[in-house]
Amino acid sequence: MFHTRCIILAGLVCEAVLLTVLPGHASQQDQQKDSMAGMNMSSGGKGNMNDMADMKNMGPSMAAMAGHMTITPVRPKQPGDEARAKEIVAEAKATMERYKDYRKALADGYVIANPKLEQPQYHFNKEANARDADLRFDPTKPTSLLYRRTPYQQYKLEGVMYTARPNATEEDLNNRIPLSVARWHEHTNFCEAPADRVKDYQSAHPKFGMFGSINTKEACEAEGGIFHPYMFTWMIHVFPYESDFKDVFSMNDDMPHVH
């Protein structure tokens, strides 16, 4: 399966490496590559990270992928947006109560992505929920549970991740969680290294992968790589334990969101 092979080779240390079990999206990449045109982070259009006033809130891991991400623009706030978002957060928090003991997550079919790799945040992914999320939004069925390792607790639950199909429109995403309150993102423009150059993923200045300098099909093919316009699904993290509501939908995975 492309996801597993490519991600493990890449050796990524943030969520791009973690989503190895989301089903059925690699085959959809090419036919869906134009569905969110104008929002690519490397294009200078809507959602460009270089133009984002709140880029500093993303953390170094996310910011390092500036050429390989698409992010939804902030919409003007509409009546009821914040109340709807808070309802979703409350449902997420209630769902998380069962999974404070990570062993219950495993028992319910969640699988730890790359458990042997040291990570700032561990995704426990459930394939059935990922498939359902392509069709409908259910806050009680997150695609992933987000845990941190601590000195005193093997896995400490801090949040959830929701996903939507790769070709979801801006309106689709807004109907799930208002874009005036939160920003969805998607990993894009991935240049897979040729077999004899996979060590480049972990070099100080990589050309390939999610942190690489290559983010166009032309440049990728010129280097003998395989270009993938889209990786994975649309996704959004929710951290219900944050006391300040502006941090509940944080895109900074490098800092803990449970205290």
Side-chain angles (χ1 to χ4, degrees):
M1 184 177 180
F2 166 75
H3 287 170
T4 302
R5 176 170 62 89
C6 188
I7 299 162
I8 290 176
L9 288 176
L12 305 180
V13 294
C14 54
E15 72 182 14
V17 72
L18 307 175
L19 307 179
T20 58
V21 299
L22 299 185
H25 299 294
S27 62
Q28 302 174 12
Q29 291 171 8
D30 291 333
Q31 64 263 37
Q32 295 170 346
K33 64 183 179 180
D34 296 323
S35 63
M36 295 294 285
M39 293 177 63
N40 194 285
M41 302 304 251
S42 61
S43 68
K46 288 194 298 180
N48 189 296
M49 283 183 69
N50 294 326
D51 298 330
M52 289 174 55
D54 59 349
M55 182 177 171
K56 63 182 182 299
N57 297 322
M58 286 190 164
S61 293
M62 294 289 273
M65 294 186 285
H68 305 279
M69 285 181 63
T70 297
I71 188 169
T72 55
V74 177
R75 284 190 171 189
K77 189 169 290 187
Q78 301 299 315
D81 278 1
E82 187 166 322
R84 183 156 60 95
K86 287 183 175 179
E87 288 178 5
I88 293 167
V89 173
E91 289 188 80
K93 188 174 183 179
T95 298
M96 288 167 60
E97 283 301 305
R98 171 172 172 76
Y99 300 117
K100 285 184 175 180
D101 182 343
Y102 76 93
R103 290 166 293 192
K104 291 182 178 179
L106 298 177
D108 282 357
Y110 285 91
V111 178
I112 310 174
N114 299 303
K116 295 183 179 180
L117 179 68
E118 186 174 347
Q119 304 166 39
Q121 185 183 79
Y122 291 80
H123 286 55
F124 284 46
N125 303 321
K126 189 168 183 176
E127 291 192 31
N129 288 2
R131 288 191 295 268
D132 287 346
D134 278 355
L135 304 175
R136 64 188 66 84
F137 179 56
D138 185 345
T140 70
K141 295 182 178 180
T143 294
S144 304
L145 301 170
L146 309 177
Y147 291 85
R148 300 193 83 83
R149 278 233 174 108
T150 72
Y152 306 105
Q153 190 172 338
Q154 186 169 3
Y155 291 107
K156 189 169 184 178
L157 185 61
E158 67 173 355
V160 298
M161 184 181 78
Y162 297 114
T163 57
R165 67 187 188 280
N167 66 335
T169 66
E170 186 179 314
E171 194 61 33
D172 291 334
L173 300 176
N174 182 66
N175 288 337
R176 294 188 175 210
I177 300 178
L179 299 185
S180 64
V181 178
R183 307 184 79 165
W184 292 74
H185 66 279
E186 186 174 36
H187 297 287
T188 57
N189 302 330
F190 187 96
C191 185
E192 181 181 355
D196 61 346
R197 299 179 67 182
V198 295
K199 290 184 178 179
D200 175 83
Y201 289 129
Q202 300 184 43
S203 67
H205 302 287
K207 288 186 175 182
F208 301 98
M210 208 66 74
F211 299 125
S213 59
I214 298 174
N215 55 33
T216 67
K217 182 177 181 180
E218 293 75 18
C220 183
E221 292 178 347
E223 292 286 344
I226 301 172
F227 187 71
H228 302 277
Y230 281 74
M231 296 286 289
F232 319 122
T233 59
W234 281 101
M235 57 194 75
I236 191 168
H237 290 180
V238 182
F239 301 106
Y241 300 139
E242 286 286 9
S243 57
D244 192 330
F245 189 65
K246 69 179 179 60
D247 296 322
V248 168
F249 297 100
S250 173
M251 293 182 68
N252 186 346
D253 296 338
D254 298 301
M255 62 175 289
H257 294 282
V258 60
H259 311 284

